[in-house]
């Protein structure tokens, strides 16, 4: 298992975004908890919405790996496809734990 930190890909070009990225990283555990709770409750609309929000924010702030997994969760939630969702949410939680600010 890879435990290396994951840093934003945009800070080199846009260092002024560091405070915004820092706030995102600080709130990420709560966002992942919200998504996980929606999955546990099989609240497909809330799960899809939480994954959509995470996908957009992660993409805009330079976390493409996080964006991709959130996109897969969103698609599966929209389709109400539970197959593999537990694994996806677990992978998301593990990846989110590696997100860091330089």
């Amino acid at each position: 298992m890879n435990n290396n930190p994951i840093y934003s890909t945009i800070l080199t070009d846009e260092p002024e975004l560091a405070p915004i990225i820092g706030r995102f990283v600080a709130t990420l555990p709560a966002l992942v908890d919200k998504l996980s709770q929606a999955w546990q409750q099989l609240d497909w609309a809330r799960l899809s919405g939480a994954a959509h929000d995470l996908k957009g924010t992660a993409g805009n702030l330079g976390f493409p790996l996080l964006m991709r997994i959130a996109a897969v969760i969103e698609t599966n939630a929209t389709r109400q496809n539970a197959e593999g969702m537990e694994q996806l949410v677990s992978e998301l939680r593990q990846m989110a734990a590696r997100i860091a600010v330089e």
Side-chain angles (χ1 to χ4, degrees):
M1 174 198 259
N2 185 347
N3 289 322
N4 294 332
I6 300 172
Y7 299 106
S8 173
T9 59
I10 64 171
L11 278 177
T12 302
D13 295 331
E14 301 183 55
E16 69 277 4
L17 293 179
I20 294 169
I21 292 169
R23 283 192 298 275
F24 169 69
V25 172
T27 62
L28 189 55
L31 296 172
V32 172
D33 285 346
K34 177 182 171 184
L35 188 146
S36 183
Q37 288 170 358
W39 161 240
Q40 291 169 359
Q41 296 168 358
L42 292 178
D43 187 337
W44 296 110
R46 203 172 88 200
L47 178 58
S48 178
H52 177 81
D53 291 347
L54 181 57
K55 175 186 75 174
T57 305
N60 286 331
L61 295 180
F63 296 102
L65 296 174
L66 192 60
M67 179 189 73
R68 284 189 208 106
I69 195 165
V72 173
I73 291 171
E74 178 189 15
T75 298
N76 285 337
T78 300
R79 296 177 181 163
Q80 297 187 6
N81 178 12
E83 187 175 333
M85 186 66 80
E86 188 69 37
Q87 178 65 30
L88 287 168
V89 172
S90 176
E91 287 176 26
L92 175 72
R93 186 173 294 284
Q94 291 169 16
M95 186 179 297
R98 295 174 46 212
I99 300 294
V101 179
E102 292 184 290

